[in-house]
Amino acid sequence: MSGRQARCKARERNNVLNRPEFMSLNQPPRREQVVGEGRSSGGPRRTVYRQQSQQEDAGLRGSRDSSEGGAAADGGVKDASRWPEQDCMQLNPSFRGIAINSLLAIDISLSKRLGVCVRPNGAGAPIRSMVTMLALSGHALPWLCGTLICLWRSNTLAGQEVLVNLMLALILDLMTVAGMQKLVKRRGPWDLPPGFLDYVAMDMYSFPAAHASRAVMVSKFLLNHLVLAVPLRILLYLWAFLVGMSRVLLGKHHLSDVACGFALGFLHFALVESVWLDSATCQTLISIGTLRWTPLV
């Protein structure tokens, strides 16, 4: 008997329901206690029933609130479990993302600091007119019109060959840069609205810099097909660099836009040199353009 009692005491001691925090589970429901007390004491039953109805209403409200809170929590958990990669990317960004964001922030900060000629009354007001003229020298309209005038006045086959290929290079640069700008749609550091000449040259966005690309392409083209002295060659390289930087000073482009424009100008020059048109093809194109083309029989 003593062994059985010891076993029973051990079971009761190890029973989870005998713990203090679970003692309420062993007690009878409160409603039954209240009703039993009312019957035994003979008190008024209406007050008991009112208390019971109030408790039930409070319990229903609490259950509704808890169910709504639980549903919201479940929805949040589902959303969180649905997109775990985004949370991981936000909390643990990669080294590549940190490096790219840092470089972009540095690019924007430096470009805004270099935009000293944006306002007429800014720090670069004394040189603003000169910078504007320098940027205008790299615009597409003067180069296209100048090439057409030189082609119209040229009388040699070699000169016409060079000018026709230069015209095709300018058109290639214009269309390529306009397409890339339309695709990327990056705004400038100061988010300035495009002017009339920008609309004419389809230079409405920041990336890549059209003036920088055109200046490098024209410089390489002229240096490769004209015999120039060393000082003139240096001045031509310097002009291309200053044209690109003038757009940064005017707040039109970022530094990265100008750098990509320089690289794109080199690529355009290499492409034009690889598909160079000979003199016969250039004469055919000139005949078509002047409406004097006679097809070969």
Side-chain angles (χ1 to χ4, degrees), residues 52-129:
Q52 291 175 2
S53 61
Q54 290 177 359
Q55 291 176 0
E56 289 176 357
D57 294 337
L60 289 174
R61 291 176 184 174
S63 62
R64 288 179 183 175
D65 296 338
S66 62
S67 62
E68 291 176 358
D74 293 337
V77 171
K78 288 180 181 179
D79 294 339
S81 62
R82 187 180 299 175
W83 307 105
E85 297 179 356
Q86 293 183 356
D87 296 337
C88 294
M89 291 173 63
Q90 292 176 0
L91 295 176
N92 298 318
S94 61
F95 176 77
R96 181 181 178 183
I98 294 174
I100 293 175
N101 291 332
S102 300
L103 291 176
L104 288 176
I106 294 172
D107 179 31
I108 295 172
S109 178
L110 289 178
S111 301
K112 284 189 174 182
R113 289 186 179 183
L114 290 174
V116 294
C117 298
V118 176
R119 299 183 180 87
N121 298 326
I127 61 172
R128 192 170 187 271
S129 58

Side-chain angles (χ1 to χ4, degrees), residues 19-31:
R19 294 182 181 179
E21 57 268 21
F22 298 107
M23 289 298 292
S24 61
L25 298 176
N26 296 328
Q27 296 179 0
R30 187 176 179 181
R31 181 176 178 181

Side-chain angles (χ1 to χ4, degrees), residues 204-221:
M204 293 177 289
Y205 294 99
S206 178
F207 181 88
H211 289 66
S213 175
R214 190 175 304 110
V216 168
M217 189 269 296
V218 169
S219 299
K220 290 290 294 179
F221 191 93

